[in-house]
Amino acid sequence: MGYANKTFRRYALFLWISSLLVLIEGRRPRQPRCPTSCICTRDNALCENIRSVPRSFPPDVVSLSFVKSGFNEIPEGSFLHTPALQLLLFTANSFEAIREDVFLGLPHLEYLFIENNKIKSISPNAFQGLKSLIHLSLAYNNLQTLPRDVFKGLDALIKVDLRGNAFNCDCKLKWLVEWMHNTNATVDQIYCADPPAYQGKKINDLVPQSFDCITTEFASYQSLKFESISVDSFTYKNDDYIVIAQPFIGKCSFLEWDHVEMVFRNYDNISSTSTVVCKPMVIDTQLFIIVAQLFGGSHIYKRDNSANKLIKIQDIDILKIRKPNDVETFTIDGTSYFVIADSSKAGSTTVYKWNGNGFYSHQSLHPWYRDTDVEYLEIANKPHLILSSSSQRPVIYQWNKSQKLFDRRTDIPEMEDVFAVKHFKVKNDLYICLTRFIGDSKVMKWDGSMFLEIQTMPSRGSMVFQPFAVNNWQYAVLGSDYSFTQVYRWDVKKGQFVNFQELNIQAPRAFTLVSIDNREFLLASSFKGKTQIYEHLILDLSN
Ligand SMILES: *[C@@H]1O[C@H](CO)[C@@H](O)[C@H](O)[C@H]1NC(C)=O
Ligand SMILES: *[C@@H]1O[C@H](CO)[C@@H](O)[C@H](O)[C@H]1NC(C)=O
Ligand SMILES: *[C@@H]1O[C@H](CO)[C@@H](O)[C@H](O)[C@H]1NC(C)=O
């Protein structure tokens, strides 16, 4: 009994001396006082229910706590006068944001607890300069995301507590997953609240690769003040060029890339009449342009390098080609050919062959049909042509190697009114896009013996449904005379195109992709407005 009493008395005496010391400390003349509503000892201060962050504290204070305070923000540089701080705690306060430079001048701070507040946003530089910070807690706030690199420079961190926040695990949070993989600090288990597909998933278990944050877009780049009907690109002597058929003023217009101004500019023209197609063809080191016209016959031009201009070298038989609609070029076993689709009843789609000196009519196909389009493609490594005509289903011709001629093979069943057929490949699978003016345009896949429909797209005055690839992305663009032009992007998982972007082009007739200086451009000819050039941009949503 007596012993216990004595101990108690000794303890009471200790308490009394301690509080006396506190009082003496607090009353030192030149020392800042302990703010009202705070309780201070030599090392510690605890403030409760205060309205703003006080400016003066005992300078040697090493721990500072704010509990249930009513202030809305912590002003910049609030702790510049307490450089010895090692622990700072905010709990059950009502502020919503942590601004930049709030924790300026705290090189010794090791513990920072900002818990049970209502923090929604944190400045990317909020924790800048906290070199000694080993334990950071932002637990139980209203955080949905964290700014990229908010923990940058916190090299001493060994523990981060982010529990009790409803994180949105979108691309903006990808950096955090990367950081969690690389940091040596322990991060308590935290969970995604959004997006729905990620709800309830542990962020600690996510891998950066699971975020699909790269997207693309076609951005308007340049518009050319003329109408056009065909557009093609070619490479000649290591430079890239574009040739555009202008139907009304009758020109093949050549464009080159201006490396200084970063625009496409005109550098040459071929004058013609009622131009439908200007098709470039490079054979060895020679450049040819096949100029298809509605009136006055079609011609072949050749670049004369010594004269530094394009010179007409040949006329195309006007009895065969009366109303050209499309020109395709191809090589089979090292020999160059081109084929012109003819849309007159008396003319005939005809294959021309290069013999080293000129082009000769090689084979006429499909007489008496009005062909609107011809497509060269390989099916199972064998050369084929698909002809579209307004009065018949698309017909497939196969190259007969011994005869060196195309034989009619089959047609595409149940596909009337197809204006044009264009092909593309995804991995090793062959697909075709079939353009119809009104109704449904279609995508079909080669199954080894025939084309099978896999997808239909509504056509509203469509004259072109052009597939093209940029890097690893496969696109198709379906033009419309009555509505927006729709760009589709191939969805690898679905094995189909999905809607991607709308473009506003008046009466588009042709699309082509051009790569210049590691940039990709999509050129869109317009029959009734300006010829448009878009740039294909790659965007990282996690930045
Ligand atoms: C983690 O610790 C290792 C070993 O101490 C060190 O080499 C590495 O740089 C640290 N990583 C980070 C991100 O601090
Ligand atoms: C080509 O024709 C256009 C008009 O369509 C003209 O403005 C331009 O100067 C011509 N270019 C050349 C190189 O003659
Ligand atoms: C090529 O044509 C010849 C003659 O018409 C024919 O006998 C042969 O079967 C054809 N070859 C193929 C692979 O169709």
Side-chain angles (χ1 to χ4, degrees), residues 226 246 249 251 253 266-269:
F226 54 78
Q246 297 185 53
I249 61 164
K251 263 199 175 108
S253 234
N266 172 279
Y267 80 94
D268 203 359
N269 302 302

Side-chain angles (χ1 to χ4, degrees), residues 382 398-403 405 407:
K382 294 197 179 78
Q398 181 174 344
W399 182 250
N400 184 317
K401 217 171 155 65
S402 59
Q403 300 268 314
L405 291 170
D407 287 340

Side-chain angles (χ1 to χ4, degrees), residues 271-283:
S271 293
S272 57
T273 53
S274 56
T275 320
V276 182
V277 184
C278 306
K279 192 75 184 180
M281 189 172 189
V282 176
I283 301 174

Side-chain angles (χ1 to χ4, degrees), residues 96-98 118-124 126-127 138-139 141-151 161-177 180 190-195 203 211 541-543:
E96 296 182 352
I98 302 174
K118 303 211 161 60
I119 310 292
K120 272 195 229 159
S121 76
I122 298 181
S123 150
F127 307 124
L138 298 167
N141 281 294
N142 296 337
L143 291 169
Q144 292 183 346
T145 195
L146 284 169
R148 191 183 181 87
D149 296 334
V150 71
F151 304 139
D161 190 352
L162 300 169
R163 289 173 300 167
N165 290 290
F167 285 109
N168 181 358
C169 298
D170 62 8
C171 285
K172 296 227 152 39
L173 214 64
K174 182 184 177 186
W175 77 269
L176 181 68
V177 173
M180 283 165 72
I190 46 175
Y191 299 87
C192 305
D194 270 311
I203 299 179
F211 286 80
L541 300 177
S542 68
N543 279 332

